[in-house]
Amino acid sequence: MSILKELQQIIDPEHILIDEALKKHTYTQLGGRADFFVTPSTVEEVQEIIRFANKSAIPFTLLGNGSNVIIRDGGIRGIVLSLKKFKGIRRDGEKVVAESGARIIDTSRFALEERLSGLEFACGIPGSVGGALYMNAGAYGGEVKDCLESALVVDAGGEVHRMPAEAFDLDYRTSNIAAKGYIVLEATFHLTEGDYDEIKAVMDDLTYMRESKQPLEYPSCGSVFKRPPGYFAGKLIQDSHLQGKGVGGAEVSTKHAGFIVNKNNATATEYISVIEMVQREVKAKFDVELEREVRILGED
């Protein structure tokens, strides 16, 4: 039986896209095509897709909402799984439970409406909840590990587990989620009761700082590099006089040196070339290795 027919036995055929352009699913608006782009709507469907891919030795890639990823121009072979239908958010006492495909921004806003404090830092992070756990997303002094209590995951064998936050080895922009082969289904955040106006004031301040400093007018993957010990990546790039420099339609932002923008229909190859140029120049000038925060997937 063909891959398509097998997938149609698992999920609604309307939720299977063939030869789907992945640039439609990334914030950079870059990338080639997926052989099969599937959007399950139940945990059982996710489990069955994983088991089918394992049994048939079909390449399998999880894609969040595409905010912190670059997909190469050759696209991704096999099955690309999107959990964008998993976007529920609910309150449980002083906890907020958010499904993997929900935006972490929306989770932060939900907490505000429920007068719960602890997720204010996430009010400007564009990624999904699953992606936020994957990279221990953070901003303005806060990060996911500060308030994550537990997460529901599917393992590489298709089994579901509820795991405490400590199990994910959350550290600066990293976790063990990829190494363990986990797929996050939902996250539980332990927050505290707070005052609506005070929570909103903090979020308003952070939103203003984000909108005034970041080049939100162009497609980008957000902050490209991790903060090197003892330095700030953006300052190193700025002092290397790289702002405005680029390759093809991609360039280092003139508004925030830590961002690379798709200014004029760039290709993924051009975007990645700018990343590599920045790494070379900063290394040559300051002898500092810039490590990518953004993930690169797919083939040339």
Side-chain angles (χ1 to χ4, degrees):
M1 189 181 294
S2 70
I3 295 175
L4 177 59
K5 288 182 179 179
E6 289 274 9
L7 287 172
Q8 288 173 336
Q9 298 296 312
I10 299 172
I11 66 174
D12 189 321
E14 292 185 0
H15 301 159
I16 305 168
L17 299 176
I18 302 171
D19 202 29
E20 174 71 354
L22 292 170
K23 66 192 304 181
K24 297 192 297 186
H25 302 280
T26 64
Y27 274 52
T28 56
Q29 297 178 18
L30 304 170
R33 296 178 178 272
D35 292 343
F36 299 94
F37 185 84
V38 299
T39 52
S41 54
T42 69
V43 172
E44 292 75 21
E45 288 176 349
V46 174
Q47 291 177 285
E48 289 304 310
I49 291 168
I50 293 171
R51 289 167 180 159
F52 165 60
N54 288 340
K55 178 186 69 175
S56 305
I58 298 168
F60 175 86
T61 303
L62 176 67
L63 182 66
N65 72 346
S67 64
N68 195 49
V69 65
I70 299 166
I71 296 173
R72 296 182 187 273
D73 296 315
I76 300 177
R77 304 288 66 79
I79 298 170
V80 174
L81 176 72
S82 167
L83 295 181
K84 66 181 182 179
K85 288 187 169 67
F86 287 69
K87 55 185 179 182
I89 307 171
R90 67 184 188 275
R91 178 172 180 164
D92 179 10
E94 289 192 349
K95 304 172 187 178
V96 167
V97 182
E99 293 184 343
S100 178
R103 298 194 310 164
I104 193 71
I105 287 177
D106 293 336
T107 308
S108 176
R109 291 171 181 164
F110 177 88
L112 165 66
E113 295 303 319
E114 296 294 323
R115 293 168 169 75
L116 292 173
S117 177
L119 273 172
E120 291 89 333
F121 73 90
C123 68
I125 297 174
S128 65
V129 167
L133 265 65
Y134 181 95
M135 65 173 294
N136 185 31
Y140 301 111
E143 54 189 353
V144 164
K145 75 173 185 178
D146 296 336
C147 55
L148 180 69
E149 177 177 281
S150 65
L152 190 70
V153 304
V154 179
D155 67 22
E159 299 300 319
V160 176
H161 307 273
R162 169 75 60 183
M163 306 185 73
E166 299 76 36
F168 301 113
D169 294 338
L170 299 175
D171 204 347
Y172 176 66
R173 303 299 177 266
T174 188
S175 73
N176 64 14
I177 289 173
K180 297 285 188 179
Y182 296 145
I183 292 176
V184 176
L185 297 173
E186 69 175 29
T188 299
F189 301 98
H190 194 282
L191 308 176
T192 57
E193 294 278 357
D195 178 80
Y196 179 92
D197 291 333
E198 291 178 3
I199 297 170
K200 187 175 185 300
V202 172
M203 292 172 65
D204 287 346
D205 285 345
L206 297 182
T207 298
Y208 172 77
M209 285 191 283
R210 174 175 178 262
E211 292 178 349
S212 63
K213 294 180 180 179
Q214 297 182 11
L216 304 179
E217 65 272 25
Y218 294 112
S220 82
C221 63
S223 183
V224 178
F225 303 103
K226 295 181 181 181
R227 185 179 66 243
Y231 299 91
F232 291 98
K235 184 69 165 58
L236 291 171
I237 298 166
Q238 179 179 331
D239 291 346
S240 297
H241 308 293
L242 293 172
Q243 287 180 279
K245 294 187 177 181
V247 177
E251 70 173 42
V252 179
S253 169
T254 56
K255 190 173 183 179
H256 189 310
F259 284 64
I260 294 172
V261 294
N262 178 0
K263 196 170 183 180
N264 187 24
N265 297 314
T267 65
T269 300
E270 291 170 346
Y271 200 97
I272 294 167
S273 293
V274 177
I275 292 175
E276 293 170 345
M277 175 192 72
V278 169
Q279 289 174 315
R280 286 195 305 271
E281 293 294 326
V282 169
K283 173 65 174 176
K285 189 173 181 63
F286 296 104
D287 195 30
V288 175
E289 301 273 1
L290 288 182
E291 181 182 355
R292 278 190 289 106
E293 182 175 308
V294 63
R295 292 190 300 148
I296 299 177
L297 302 176
E299 55 190 44
D300 291 320

